[in-house]
Amino acid sequence: DTAVSQTPKYLVTQMGNDKSIKCEQNLGHDTMYWYKQDSKKFLKIMFSYNNKELIINETVPNRFSPKSPDKAHLNLHINSLELGDSAVYFCASSQDGLGGRTEAFFGQGTRLTVV
Amino acid sequence: AQSVAQPEDQVNVAEGNPLTVKCTYSVSGNPYLFWYVQYPNRGLQFLLKYITGDNLVKGSYGFEAEFNKSQTSFHLKKPSALVSDSALYFCAVRDGASGGSYIPTFGRGTSLIVHP
């Protein structure tokens, strides 16, 4: 009964490939997020999405795109992978009906290694 | 605009001693403040938050934090540290001002090491 689950947990792939990371939440939350955590453990927001609005961090390359088939899922698709994309990617969700006063629930992370 | 700072990359404390992990913030409206903990190879877990009301907030695992508006701080504390508290701690802030983003800004994280 994991609240936020992402697959795969580990992903090793070659430069230039296209890959997807899946995320699902069973909490009934309105908003989902993707974060990137680099080797120094810095956490950077990539996308935020609810059923009305997609907010994109302008520093994220357009090779990254979120795809949401429904409210419970927000997948991350990455085109033409580069070495610098190697990081841990976290999916999260929150119930933001109160305008951002609620905490986020995070998945276990996907460790992406580009070789 | 909203920002948050965790001035210490690492905090070392002996087991049984009190611990403090520092966090300061900057917002234009009222702050919504959060603490999260990340254990190795795990996702972040929510510890506690301040939205409004009592300045002293109690959270999971015996942690608490004190909101200080004049010092724009929200330091995380625990009276007696455990070795199992060793982890990475993140402070996050959201600006409650009208028109502010609902996406919180995270600090750079503080590694807490509790020595036996």
Side-chain angles (χ1 to χ4, degrees), chain B residues 15-48:
Chain B
E15 187 174 31
N17 283 0
L19 70 87
T20 299
V21 182
K22 295 180 180 178
C23 172
T24 59
Y25 66 88
S26 176
V27 295
S28 56
N30 291 320
Y32 299 158
L33 294 153
F34 305 82
W35 275 103
Y36 291 84
V37 60
Q38 183 180 23
Y39 297 102
N41 301 313
R42 303 293 297 273
L44 278 70
Q45 297 177 33
F46 168 74
L47 278 179
L48 49 80

Side-chain angles (χ1 to χ4, degrees), chain A residues 4 8 13 20 22 25 29 35 47 51 53 56 59 63-64 72 75-76 90-91 95 105 108 112:
Chain A
V4 181
T13 187
S20 292
K22 295 185 177 181
Q25 55 95 3
H29 286 168
Y35 286 87
F47 305 101
N51 57 6
E53 187 178 19
I56 302 173
T59 67
R63 298 181 294 103
F64 291 78
N75 304 324
L76 181 65
F90 287 102
C91 177
Q95 180 58 40
F105 290 75
Q108 297 273 55
L112 171 65

